[in-house]
């Protein structure tokens, strides 16, 4: 079984492609948990500010700490650039993978100054190389390799344990979201939120305080009406499904 979490679709694509190449099943972590692992458990998720998303950590705490010792376990972390010490945090939550991999995918984080979605060339390059990387990981999994192939980047401990802790709570503070006047109450954000954290009230989206910072609402809004902390105005949007045709074209 491959469990996945995804906001804008990158990690879902990776998980479903891995399932296809390894003859496995991919399942959203918000679906009812199943213990039918058939000797292998994969976990695929995006890295947020050099840390696992809150709901991924919670899923590990609730379900993946007591996997049978003989089970082959692996993790794939999608990232725009690097993962810092995310793997260490995964292990601290009780999931110690035999194989660990990072995979560059288009950037989606736009909440801080200087952060934006990738330009066309960078996005196309990442997606173009993604299938080859996924195929490599799938072969490693099929061979039950015990391999660590992750890009921690520069100053990984500083990024995860200092900047990650500092900005993690900021990213999850959904009181900072606002919908502008161009919002037409279409409800696209409510459907996009993987945590079911958004409702429509008084003609505007309302965030319920259970946010993981995936920004699916921001990237999905067809009117580009959603803003975070007045820091995302004029920045780009990205959803995997809009660019799926660019995969494998490196």
């Amino acid at each position: 079984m491959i469990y996945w979490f995804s906001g804008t679709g990158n990690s879902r694509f990776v998980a479903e492609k891995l399932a296809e190449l390894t003859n496995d099943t991919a399942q959203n972590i918000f679906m009812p948990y199943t213990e039918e692992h058939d000797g292998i458990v994969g976990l695929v998720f995006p890295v947020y500010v050099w840390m696992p998303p809150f709901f991924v950590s919670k899923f590990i705490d609730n379900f993946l700490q007591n996997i049978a010792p003989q089970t082959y376990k692996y993790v794939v972390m999608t990232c725009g650039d690097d993962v810092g010490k995310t793997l260490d945090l995964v292990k601290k939550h009780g999931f110690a993978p035999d194989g660990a991999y990072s995979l560059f995918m288009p950037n989606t984080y736009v909440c801080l100054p200087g952060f934006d979605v990738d330009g066309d060339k960078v996005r196309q390059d990442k997606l173009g190389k993604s299938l080859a990387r996924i195929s490599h990981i799938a072969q490693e999994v099929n061979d039950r390799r015990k391999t660590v192939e992750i890009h921690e980047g520069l100053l990984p401990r500083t990024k995860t344990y200092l900047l990650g802790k500092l900005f993690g709570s900021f990213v999850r503070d959904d009181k900072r979201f606002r919908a502008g006047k161009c919002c037409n109450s279409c409800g696209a954000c409510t459907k996009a939120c993987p945590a079911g954290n958004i409702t429509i009230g008084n003609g505007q989206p309302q965030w319920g305080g259970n946010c993981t910072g995936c920004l699916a609402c921001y990237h999905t809004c067809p009117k580009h009406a959603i803003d975070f902390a007045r820091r995302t105005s004029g920045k780009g949007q990205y959803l995997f499904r809009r660019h799926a045709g660019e995969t494998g074209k490196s």
Side-chain angles (χ1 to χ4, degrees), residues 7 177 188-190 192-193 198 207 214-221 226 237:
F177 281 108
C189 54
T190 67
C193 179
I198 305 173
W207 286 262
C214 73
L215 298 177
C217 56
Y218 165 86
H219 289 288
T220 298
C221 180
I226 293 175
Q237 292 175 298

Side-chain angles (χ1 to χ4, degrees), residues 49-51 82-86 88-89 150-164:
V49 288
W50 306 286
M51 301 173 68
D82 50 43
V83 302
K85 287 294 183 180
T86 300
D88 285 3
L89 297 184
I150 60 175
H151 180 63
E152 291 188 338
L154 297 174
L155 303 174
R157 296 189 66 82
T158 299
K159 288 177 177 177
T160 294
Y161 294 110
L162 179 60
L163 299 179

Side-chain angles (χ1 to χ4, degrees), residues 17-79:
K17 195 65 182 178
L18 280 171
E20 175 187 328
L21 296 173
T22 60
N23 194 30
D24 206 342
T25 301
Q27 177 175 300
N28 189 336
I29 65 170
F30 292 105
M31 296 291 288
Y33 178 71
T34 174
E35 295 185 0
E36 297 178 3
H37 299 145
D38 197 26
I40 184 169
V41 173
L43 181 62
V44 181
F45 63 86
V47 173
Y48 294 159
V49 288
W50 306 286
M51 301 173 68
F54 168 75
F55 289 113
V56 171
S57 297
K58 189 175 180 180
F59 180 77
I60 296 172
D61 291 342
N62 290 340
F63 300 113
L64 299 186
Q65 289 187 345
N66 298 312
I67 300 295
Q70 67 271 22
T71 302
Y72 177 79
K73 302 178 289 293
Y74 69 97
V75 62
V76 180
M77 300 169 283
T78 62
C79 59

Side-chain angles (χ1 to χ4, degrees), residues 36-186:
E36 297 178 3
H37 299 145
D38 197 26
I40 184 169
V41 173
L43 181 62
V44 181
F45 63 86
V47 173
Y48 294 159
V49 288
W50 306 286
M51 301 173 68
F54 168 75
F55 289 113
V56 171
S57 297
K58 189 175 180 180
F59 180 77
I60 296 172
D61 291 342
N62 290 340
F63 300 113
L64 299 186
Q65 289 187 345
N66 298 312
I67 300 295
Q70 67 271 22
T71 302
Y72 177 79
K73 302 178 289 293
Y74 69 97
V75 62
V76 180
M77 300 169 283
T78 62
C79 59
D81 188 8
D82 50 43
V83 302
K85 287 294 183 180
T86 300
L87 180 59
D88 285 3
L89 297 184
V90 169
K91 292 178 179 178
K92 286 181 179 180
H93 278 278
F95 187 69
D98 299 293
Y101 307 88
S102 61
L103 171 59
F104 293 130
M105 292 293 282
N107 185 53
T108 63
Y109 187 70
V110 296
C111 293
L112 291 174
F115 286 77
D116 203 346
V117 299
D118 293 325
D120 290 347
K121 184 176 180 180
V122 174
R123 183 195 69 241
Q124 291 165 2
D125 182 62
K126 288 180 178 179
L127 289 175
K129 295 176 179 177
S130 63
L131 284 181
R133 177 64 172 162
I134 295 169
S135 295
H136 167 74
I137 295 171
Q139 188 60 58
E140 295 269 306
V141 171
N142 285 331
D143 293 341
R144 302 298 192 266
R145 295 285 184 87
K146 296 185 177 181
T147 307
V148 175
E149 295 179 358
I150 60 175
H151 180 63
E152 291 188 338
L154 297 174
L155 303 174
R157 296 189 66 82
T158 299
K159 288 177 177 177
T160 294
Y161 294 110
L162 179 60
L163 299 179
K165 297 291 185 182
L166 179 64
F167 294 127
S169 57
F170 173 77
V171 169
R172 293 189 58 231
D173 183 5
D174 60 13
K175 294 183 179 65
R176 300 176 186 271
F177 281 108
R178 294 289 185 275
K181 294 180 180 179
C182 59
C183 172
N184 62 2
S185 307
C186 70

